[in-house]
Amino acid sequence: MAYKLEHTAEIASELPGELLFKIMKESSLVEANGVPAKALNNMLNFITREFEADEHWVVEESKKDHCLKWDLENPLIKESIPFNHELKEKSQHPFFTVEINKPFLLFKHHLIFPIDLNQQKIYIGFSSQHKFDLTSQDKKFFHVISERLKELILLINNERKEKSKSQRLETILDRLPQAIVFTENKNGDTWLNNEALEIFGLGKNEKSIPSELFSKKLSELKVKVTNKEEVELVGSNMISLNALPSSFGEDWIWKFENSVLKVIRKNAYIGGKEGELWVFDNVSELYFANERLNSLFRKLNVAYNEINANLTEFQSKSSNKSITDLEAEESRIIQQYDDNDILGKVTHDLRTPFAKVYTIVQLLLTDNQENLSPQQVERINLIKQVVADGLQIVKGFLDTGNMVLDDKKFNPEVIDVQEFVDSSLMPYELLSAKKNIIFITQVLDKNLKLEVDRTYLRRIVDNLVSNAIKFSPNETQINYTIYQEGDEIIFSVKDQGPGLTDDDKSRLFKKYQQLSAKPIGTDESTGLGLYIVKTMADKMGGRIWVESEKGKGAEFKVALKTIS
């Protein structure tokens, strides 16, 4: 039911003094140092806390099926997004609740304050996972909030009109660390920040240029990329899909001889002007660190392939020998390589570059974290974890020699299975997301306990999940399930990959085996992982097996004895 607003001052005077003081203090321009946008942000944060909401937002009506979502740090910047018409249907009320979660909202329940501004409708929303209880406050409270929000919006709108176009754009663009270019649709004027001037080889006095000159400079930059086909393909997809900025998730990577740029192109409103926004983000350090890691793994794989090539040659020349003779000769060849310490030399050489990459990543996080976005920090931490794991693998090779585990380094302890699973999920989910794989984790029983070596168990699960991701096609599903069966706890990893032949299954847990299935993408298999997994499972008194048919995926299971 709508409440008729007669006189704001009268309604405010009827509110409890403490509540009215809170509203005025939180929305005070004095508290916000005279900045209306900051006062609005303070007010929105206050209301969010008051009603235990999860987020707040401001959108204004624009075209028929689109609206503009405000950047609340700087309301001059607005993003064009799809509009939900359920908001307009109730906009005659000073406030209302509604249940929607599309197209741009994360949560289902919303408290909305619609505001009329010069025949234009603005919606201020508060979103929550739970329904809003409006009975906890008098309706007069909501009316006062509505009027105060309207006053702040008017102040922001007036301030925006008073600022000159050049001052607005230069302030916005130059405060950002990325190279930013904005081309206005109406007259084709293009503005560039300082970073963009450097990338395109322009002078300090060329911050505003015709769109034709920018197009020429952009073409000159594209000529220099080393991955032209990839750049053109992704660019064509963006245009053909007419992708909205919040819906197009594919990275557009431009590679050059000594640098790498991540490029974003979207429709946007800046300073009240509609146009095209380009963002050029230098991700060179992150990209080249990842490339170095891949190179190191490829070097290690060369050694494994050399061993396998010699075994294959031997087996092709020895078809008339007995099985016993073949196995003896195979062991002799492997031992010869172990004696010559090829694997030892490679792993020893890998340890130093691994340590260097780890140090570089640590310095990135220590010295530059304030300049990194949360997504960049998350990705760098993932690289750090991968390098740390690689160091552990190299250390394991050096420590265990011919992969015979050292009793002195076997350290069983009682672990909580749920805690163990929760602590290791993020890398699996991030790596799965790279291939659009749905990764489902389930612990089907509660209070599961094991007495095992935590490092061994982590290595086992990491290997099985990594293999599942490696051999799975894009947009499939992996199930990681843990449950109790009798006196054993089963760790199951099931994929929808190519599956295994009977011959594969007979050789699965032996050293240096290359199977019929090949990794999908650029990943490569070393032929040692499952041998190590079985050795560790045996060491902990467990067992490992696989259930698979060719073409129907594979399910690897590890069974370990539970403790009472």
Side-chain angles (χ1 to χ4, degrees):
M1 179 183 295
Y3 187 95
K4 188 177 180 182
L5 182 61
E6 298 288 350
H7 300 289
T8 306
E10 289 180 10
I11 293 174
S13 66
E14 294 176 21
L15 285 177
E18 183 180 350
L19 191 57
L20 180 61
F21 175 77
K22 269 189 179 181
I23 295 173
M24 301 310 295
K25 182 177 184 296
E26 293 293 342
S27 61
S28 167
L29 283 173
V30 175
E31 291 288 331
N33 298 320
V35 181
K38 187 175 181 181
L40 175 64
N41 238 335
N42 292 342
M43 183 67 169
L44 297 181
N45 288 328
F46 163 70
I47 301 170
T48 299
R49 294 193 302 270
E50 191 74 19
F51 290 97
E52 299 181 348
D54 292 296
E55 66 170 2
H56 53 254
W57 42 269
V58 178
V59 300
E60 67 181 67
E61 288 183 3
S62 176
K63 299 176 182 178
K64 181 179 179 182
D65 295 314
H66 284 76
C67 59
L68 303 179
K69 187 170 183 286
W70 287 21
D71 178 346
L72 293 175
E73 293 298 322
N74 192 331
L76 296 175
I77 299 179
K78 303 170 187 179
E79 182 180 4
S80 178
I81 59 174
F83 179 66
N84 194 304
H85 291 279
E86 289 186 57
L87 299 179
K88 192 165 189 174
E89 292 170 5
K90 296 186 177 183
S91 63
Q92 70 274 18
H93 302 301
F95 60 91
F96 60 89
T97 58
V98 66
E99 294 183 11
I100 51 176
N101 57 8
K102 293 181 178 180
F104 64 92
L105 301 169
L106 296 176
F107 303 98
K108 182 178 179 181
H109 303 284
H110 312 280
L111 171 62
I112 312 293
F113 292 88
I115 294 171
D116 287 306
L117 183 65
N118 300 328
Q119 298 182 338
Q120 184 180 36
K121 189 73 74 174
I122 293 177
Y123 301 89
I124 300 178
F126 302 86
S127 305
S128 175
Q129 304 174 59
H130 312 291
K131 285 187 176 181
F132 286 92
D133 180 12
L134 302 189
T135 62
S136 61
Q137 293 284 0
D138 191 296
K139 283 186 169 59
K140 298 169 186 176
F141 172 71
F142 296 100
H143 281 290
V144 172
I145 287 177
S146 176
E147 286 298 293
R148 188 57 181 155
L149 289 173
K150 183 175 181 179
E151 290 171 2
L152 293 173
I153 294 292
L154 283 169
L155 284 172
I156 291 171
N157 190 56
N158 291 336
E159 181 187 63
R160 181 176 59 189
K161 289 178 179 179
E162 291 170 2
K163 289 186 177 180
S164 69
K165 177 175 64 178
S166 61
Q167 287 177 328
R168 285 201 307 270
L169 287 175
E170 285 192 19
T171 300
I172 295 166
L173 299 178
D174 280 331
R175 61 185 284 193
L176 299 172
Q178 297 90 355
I180 306 294
V181 179
F182 178 71
T183 298
E184 186 182 339
N185 288 348
K186 188 173 181 180
N187 57 26
D189 288 343
T190 299
W191 290 272
L192 303 90
N193 70 351
N194 289 330
E195 291 292 330
L197 293 177
E198 185 174 342
I199 285 180
F200 291 103
L202 295 168
K204 293 292 184 182
N205 60 342
E206 295 180 284
K207 283 197 168 187
S208 178
I209 60 175
S211 60
E212 293 81 7
L213 178 57
F214 170 63
S215 297
K216 179 184 175 183
K217 289 292 182 181
L218 187 65
S219 298
E220 291 173 357
L221 185 66
K222 273 188 181 180
V223 169
K224 299 176 184 178
V225 299
T226 58
N227 60 329
K228 289 184 175 60
E229 290 186 6
E230 180 185 344
V231 168
E232 294 298 336
L233 177 63
V234 177
S236 298
N237 287 343
M238 294 175 76
I239 295 171
S240 62
L241 292 173
N242 193 25
L244 291 165
S246 56
S247 64
F248 193 89
E250 187 174 357
D251 286 348
W252 198 8
I253 301 297
W254 293 22
K255 301 177 187 176
F256 301 88
E257 186 174 345
N258 297 310
S259 62
V260 179
L261 297 177
K262 179 180 176 181
V263 181
I264 297 171
R265 173 178 174 265
K266 61 166 68 176
N267 296 322
Y269 278 73
I270 298 182
K273 304 294 184 182
E274 182 180 9
E276 187 175 75
L277 179 68
W278 289 79
V279 181
F280 301 85
D281 194 4
N282 192 324
V283 294
S284 301
E285 286 189 70
L286 194 60
Y287 181 86
F288 288 127
N290 187 57
E291 286 291 291
R292 288 193 292 271
L293 280 176
N294 288 335
S295 176
L296 292 173
F297 283 119
R298 285 193 292 270
K299 287 181 182 178
L300 185 57
N301 201 61
V302 167
Y304 298 148
N305 289 338
E306 185 180 344
I307 291 172
N308 286 321
N310 279 272
L311 287 174
T312 302
E313 181 181 356
F314 156 70
Q315 289 167 347
S316 66
K317 293 178 180 179
S318 309
S319 57
N320 295 325
K321 293 186 178 183
S322 68
I323 295 297
T324 304
D325 290 338
L326 285 174
E327 289 179 346
E329 186 67 11
E330 181 175 316
S331 297
R332 185 192 66 74
I333 289 176
I334 290 175
Q335 186 60 49
Q336 175 186 326
Y337 276 94
D338 289 338
D339 290 343
N340 289 335
D341 200 25
I342 287 177
L343 187 58
K345 290 176 182 177
V346 173
T347 52
H348 186 276
D349 289 344
L350 277 176
R351 183 168 55 179
T352 299
F354 260 126
K356 286 182 179 178
V357 174
Y358 187 89
T359 302
I360 291 169
V361 172
Q362 187 64 41
L363 286 172
L364 271 175
L365 289 173
T366 303
D367 298 340
N368 299 292
Q369 186 156 353
E370 68 275 7
N371 298 321
L372 300 172
S373 69
Q375 184 185 36
Q376 289 171 325
V377 171
E378 182 180 46
R379 289 179 176 178
I380 292 174
N381 273 317
L382 180 58
I383 290 176
K384 180 182 174 183
Q385 183 60 50
V386 170
V387 175
D389 291 345
L391 277 168
Q392 284 298 109
I393 292 171
V394 170
K395 186 175 182 297
F397 284 155
L398 294 172
D399 288 346
T400 58
N402 197 26
M403 301 314 301
V404 177
L405 298 172
D406 187 348
D407 286 336
K408 294 178 182 178
K409 297 184 179 180
F410 180 63
N411 184 31
E413 60 178 298
V414 176
I415 67 169
D416 179 272
V417 172
Q418 184 68 61
E419 180 274 329
F420 172 84
V421 171
D422 292 342
S423 68
S424 59
L425 277 183
M426 181 176 289
Y428 304 156
E429 292 171 344
L430 289 173
L431 291 171
S432 299
K434 288 288 185 182
K435 296 175 72 172
N436 291 326
I437 292 173
I438 299 171
F439 191 87
I440 298 175
T441 303
Q442 292 178 294
V443 180
L444 301 182
D445 298 290
K446 294 182 179 179
N447 302 318
L448 298 180
K449 305 285 184 183
L450 284 170
E451 186 171 4
V452 293
D453 185 298
R454 181 183 290 268
T455 301
Y456 282 20
L457 183 56
R458 174 84 68 219
R459 181 88 168 270
I460 289 171
V461 175
D462 283 353
N463 185 280
L464 297 182
V465 172
S466 174
N467 282 349
I469 296 171
K470 193 185 301 181
F471 287 90
S472 291
N474 292 357
E475 300 179 354
T476 54
Q477 180 173 307
I478 293 174
N479 290 80
Y480 173 33
T481 310
I482 302 91
Y483 58 93
Q484 184 165 352
E485 195 172 84
D487 63 348
E488 293 179 315
I489 294 176
I490 311 296
F491 288 76
S492 164
V493 178
K494 184 177 183 180
D495 63 49
Q496 296 174 348
L500 299 165
T501 64
D502 289 339
D503 178 60
D504 287 335
K505 286 185 275 188
S506 69
R507 297 184 292 113
L508 199 57
F509 299 108
K510 296 180 181 179
K511 273 186 180 181
Y512 309 119
Q513 298 300 312
Q514 296 292 331
L515 307 179
S516 62
K518 300 299 178 187
I520 296 172
T522 59
D523 297 315
E524 297 173 350
S525 176
T526 65
L528 271 175
L530 289 174
Y531 166 75
I532 297 172
V533 164
K534 186 177 186 307
T535 306
M536 290 182 168
D538 291 344
K539 189 74 176 177
M540 295 189 292
R543 54 197 180 95
I544 181 171
W545 70 99
V546 65
E547 297 171 2
S548 176
E549 292 182 39
K550 186 67 175 176
K552 295 185 179 180
E555 181 175 9
F556 282 84
K557 294 183 178 181
V558 177
L560 298 165
K561 293 289 185 182
T562 186
I563 58 175
S564 303

